Amino acid sequence: MSDLRVGIVGVGVMGADHAERVVRKTAGARLVAVSDPDWARAESLASRLDARVVADPLELIASDEVDAVILASPGFAHAEQLFACLEHGKPVLCEKPLTMDAASALQVVEREHKLGRQLIQVGFMRRFDPEYAAMKQLLDSGELGRTLLLHNVHRNQSVPATFRSEMIVRDSMVHEVDVARWLFGSEITRITVRTPQPTSLAADGVLDPQLALFELANGAMADVEVFVNFQVGYEVRCEAVAERGSATIGLGSGVFTRAGGQWGGAMPADFRVRFEQAYDLEVQRWVDATVRGEIDGPSAWDGYAAAAVCEAGIESLSSGRPVDVTLADRSKVLG
């Protein structure tokens, strides 16, 4: 069987990383086209990776030379581009967020459902990380009894001054939203976002760090600290507390040492280092599933549910009060 011909829309940090991954690490796939508003950036990447540049992302999606699409464009462009993928029957790996709001995300879910087959996979890569996958397997085994609580830490070394308070919820905390839904196998029904005194190293007016509490339909709870101007490095930790024990991941990266009265290890600079293996596995499994006519990961519904939680989270960030999450009836939407 010939390689899956992949087109990538958006070749900023994440899209360029995926382009390199498709070319150098992914079996059964071939990068054929890229599209980005920055023509020079797209041309530089395409010439290095032997792909062509298509100015219009919708033209790339419609092209007979493209079998499947990776969307790494800004979230505000996703709805139009996802609808185009569905119209042309193109399997798509869409980086989060699915769309910028719950209403348009639900429209994407409904449009896909009308096709009678799933084409959309959402890029919640933590589900593919070996540590998270091992934790999920342990919790599902029942060895520790019921899982009661989840504690999360999500810290970035720094972000651009354009990264505003709402983006901390929609673009960073969204990963913990998906992790909580996935590990508990239950929907988030309420979210509370509170903010302490902000760091002096954040841009003016940015509320960083943030603390959130998720309440789930099954009675469980999860909390998360998101701190995007941490200065030290990129740190993601997760602890699950169950009836007969707990499990923690993300305690160290690389070789963890204890010597000379000190202990420690390397801390990655950004998410591409910490989750490199997760991204590799995600894209490979997406390619393999696409060839089979399936998806193998978070669905459009998962993207919609996360969007709805984040929408409520932004409202809570503004008010300081708990906000209920409103979700459509899944059985009515998906049949």
Side-chain angles (χ1 to χ4, degrees):
M1 181 177 292
S2 59
D3 289 343
L4 185 75
R5 299 171 299 176
V6 176
I8 298 181
V9 175
V11 289
V13 173
M14 190 72 260
D17 196 54
H18 278 322
E20 296 277 358
R21 179 170 292 106
V22 169
V23 171
R24 309 193 190 287
K25 295 184 176 182
T26 308
R30 177 163 55 93
L31 180 67
V32 295
V34 299
S35 182
D36 193 277
D38 187 332
W39 179 270
R41 178 169 62 189
E43 181 64 36
S44 174
L45 181 73
S47 62
R48 190 159 46 80
L49 299 180
D50 194 26
R52 69 186 182 95
V53 180
V54 181
D56 184 348
L58 300 184
E59 181 184 336
L60 181 149
I61 291 168
S63 173
D64 291 336
E65 297 178 7
V66 174
D67 299 319
V69 177
I70 294 177
L71 285 187
S73 50
F76 64 78
H78 285 180
E80 180 184 40
Q81 293 167 1
L82 285 167
F83 288 138
C85 288
L86 295 175
E87 178 184 351
H88 294 284
K90 299 292 176 74
V92 54
L93 175 60
C94 178
E95 283 299 332
K96 55 78 185 169
L98 182 68
T99 68
M100 297 292 282
D101 60 82
S104 60
L106 182 58
Q107 290 175 349
V108 170
V109 172
E110 293 171 336
R111 187 81 61 89
E112 182 191 50
H113 182 63
K114 288 181 180 178
L115 291 178
R117 65 187 184 110
Q118 290 180 295
L119 292 174
I120 299 169
Q121 181 170 317
V122 183
F124 291 128
M125 79 293 182
R126 293 187 188 178
R127 298 193 187 199
F128 299 89
D129 177 69
E131 290 188 15
Y132 274 97
M135 174 180 274
K136 172 69 170 171
Q137 184 175 19
L138 173 64
L139 298 180
D140 285 353
S141 74
E143 180 180 335
L144 299 180
R146 291 180 302 147
T147 307
L148 308 174
L149 297 169
L150 203 64
H151 302 294
N152 300 277
V153 168
H154 181 167
R155 298 169 179 158
N156 291 66
Q157 185 173 26
S158 62
V159 293
T162 54
F163 203 88
R164 310 306 295 172
S165 303
E166 296 78 7
M167 297 173 70
I168 295 175
V169 177
R170 189 173 54 234
D171 294 287
S172 296
M173 192 187 296
V174 66
H175 283 292
E176 279 68 40
V177 168
D178 184 68
V179 162
R181 295 181 59 253
W182 177 56
L183 290 179
F184 282 120
S186 183
E187 296 291 3
I188 296 170
T189 58
R190 177 178 291 181
I191 179 173
T192 305
V193 181
R194 300 298 301 273
T195 58
Q197 181 179 1
T199 174
S200 62
L201 301 175
D204 289 345
V206 173
L207 300 174
D208 180 37
Q210 298 180 9
L211 297 173
L213 176 67
F214 306 152
E215 300 173 52
L216 288 94
N218 66 353
M221 290 186 175
D223 62 57
V224 55
E225 169 211 320
V226 184
F227 189 4
V228 298
N229 287 281
F230 178 50
Q231 304 301 309
V232 181
Y234 184 77
E235 181 180 11
V236 169
R237 285 188 276 113
C238 180
E239 179 186 20
V241 182
E243 293 173 311
R244 294 192 292 272
S246 65
T248 305
I249 59 174
L251 291 175
S253 177
V255 179
F256 202 79
T257 61
R258 291 178 174 86
Q262 296 181 329
W263 57 273
M267 181 172 287
D270 66 26
F271 62 94
R272 291 169 296 176
V273 179
R274 166 63 180 87
F275 288 111
E276 179 180 10
Q277 189 175 8
Y279 283 121
D280 291 348
L281 291 168
E282 174 190 47
V283 173
Q284 184 64 69
R285 285 173 54 178
W286 172 70
V287 167
D288 294 342
T290 296
V291 171
R292 298 193 305 268
E294 304 170 353
I295 70 165
D296 182 13
S299 66
W301 177 271
D302 294 313
Y304 157 65
V309 174
C310 289
E311 193 168 81
I314 291 172
E315 182 180 342
S316 178
L317 174 67
S318 175
S319 68
R321 296 191 298 270
V323 175
D324 291 339
V325 177
T326 301
L327 281 181
D329 186 328
R330 183 168 183 167
S331 63
K332 292 181 179 178
V333 174
L334 300 181

